[in-house]
């Protein structure tokens, strides 16, 4: 009740950043979406001591927000509780964190990362995943999305049905090879 939902103690609520003769509190920035926060923080200008203090911090924050946009999470509000995120959103947040690490030679296993994504965000996610591969990483993606299957280097179609009716490799190869396989439901889907 004292913080009116800011979830900050009294001292933290008094911290303000001054930009364009406006004062912005930490909790007001946290209430923004990833894209809105990136835009706001990109416009921050500091001088003297503040510029020295923020020299490395601001670019790092902007880069992390950029990675979140890259994986289709620009709409998320920064103050949203992690417990309210979908599995796909949580997975994409972890992926955004990995993008910042620039690791090479890593095996990533993703379970339906496109769940809940708009088509344009799926395309951005695919570009991000391709970037991880280009860095020398390996991705194993369990996915049913047509765009993702078509963008794959290699597809393994499991089946012939779901659950206890599956578990066998029905087809394996490039998306074009799967498409030409009459035994594959995925091939029928692709064609």
């Amino acid at each position: 009740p004292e913080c009116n939902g800011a979830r900050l103690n009294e001292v933290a609520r008094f911290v303000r950043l001054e930009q364009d003769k406006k004062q912005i509190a930490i909790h007001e920035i946290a209430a923004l979406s990833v894209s809105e926060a990136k835009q706001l923080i990109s416009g921050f200008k500091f001088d003297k001591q503040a510029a020295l203090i923020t020299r490395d911090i601001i670019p790092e924050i902007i880069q992390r927000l950029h990675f979140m946009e890259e994986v289709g999470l620009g709409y998320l509000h920064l103050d949203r509780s992690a417990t309210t995120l979908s599995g796909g959103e949580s997975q994409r947040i972890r992926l955004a964190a990995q993008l910042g690490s620039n690791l090479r030679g890593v095996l990533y296993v993703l379970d339906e990362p496109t769940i809940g994504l708009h088509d344009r965000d799926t395309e951005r996610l695919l570009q991000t995943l391709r970037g991880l591969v280009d860095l020398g990483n390996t991705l194993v993606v369990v996915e049913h999305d047509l765009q993702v299957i078509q963008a794959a280097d290699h597809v393994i179609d499991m089946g012939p049905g779901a659950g206890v009716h599956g578990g066998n490799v029905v087809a394996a190869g490039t998306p074009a090879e799967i498409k030409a396989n009459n035994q594959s439901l995925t091939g029928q889907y692709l064609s």
Side-chain angles (χ1 to χ4, degrees):
E2 288 181 23
C3 71
N4 292 318
R7 294 188 290 184
L8 297 171
N9 67 28
E10 185 177 8
V11 174
R13 289 195 313 273
F14 279 109
V15 175
R16 304 254 190 261
L17 296 171
E18 188 169 330
Q19 292 296 313
D20 300 327
K21 300 194 178 78
K22 269 179 43 179
Q23 293 204 350
I24 305 163
I26 295 169
H27 67 275
E28 292 171 323
I29 296 171
L32 299 174
S33 70
V34 167
S35 296
E36 292 166 338
K38 181 182 166 201
Q39 183 177 0
L40 175 70
I41 294 169
S42 294
F44 281 175
K45 302 283 187 266
F46 297 100
D47 58 3
K48 300 178 186 167
Q49 183 74 16
L52 186 61
I53 293 168
T54 62
R55 178 188 65 211
D56 296 329
I57 298 169
I58 296 297
E60 183 69 25
I61 292 170
I62 292 169
Q63 183 181 33
R64 289 175 186 263
L65 293 171
H66 173 74
F67 288 142
M68 289 185 71
E69 281 184 322
E70 287 271 306
V71 296
L73 296 173
Y75 64 90
L76 282 182
H77 285 253
L78 297 175
D79 60 358
R80 185 164 164 191
S81 171
T83 60
T84 67
L85 299 174
S86 72
E89 288 168 335
S90 296
Q91 185 171 222
R92 290 193 303 273
I93 285 175
R94 288 190 299 276
L95 183 60
Q98 290 296 310
L99 287 172
S101 67
N102 277 328
L103 294 175
R104 287 160 171 61
V106 175
L107 169 65
Y108 292 94
V109 179
L110 305 173
D111 184 13
E112 300 197 41
T114 63
I115 286 178
L117 282 184
H118 187 278
D119 284 345
R120 74 172 178 275
D121 291 325
T122 297
E123 184 56 41
R124 286 171 60 188
L125 178 63
L126 286 172
Q127 291 171 3
T128 301
L129 297 179
R130 178 58 56 194
L132 284 171
V133 170
D134 292 345
L135 283 173
N137 298 300
T138 301
L139 274 74
V140 175
V141 181
V142 177
E143 187 59 79
H144 299 93
D145 182 86
L146 182 62
Q147 278 182 276
V148 177
I149 296 170
Q150 290 173 327
D153 294 329
H154 190 83
V155 176
I156 300 173
D157 183 12
M158 301 295 290
V164 297
H165 306 291
N168 299 311
V169 176
V170 175
T174 65
E177 291 169 337
I178 301 295
K179 186 176 179 179
N181 186 327
N182 294 333
Q183 304 302 311
S184 168
L185 287 175
T186 301
Q188 293 171 30
Y189 178 54
L190 290 172
S191 62

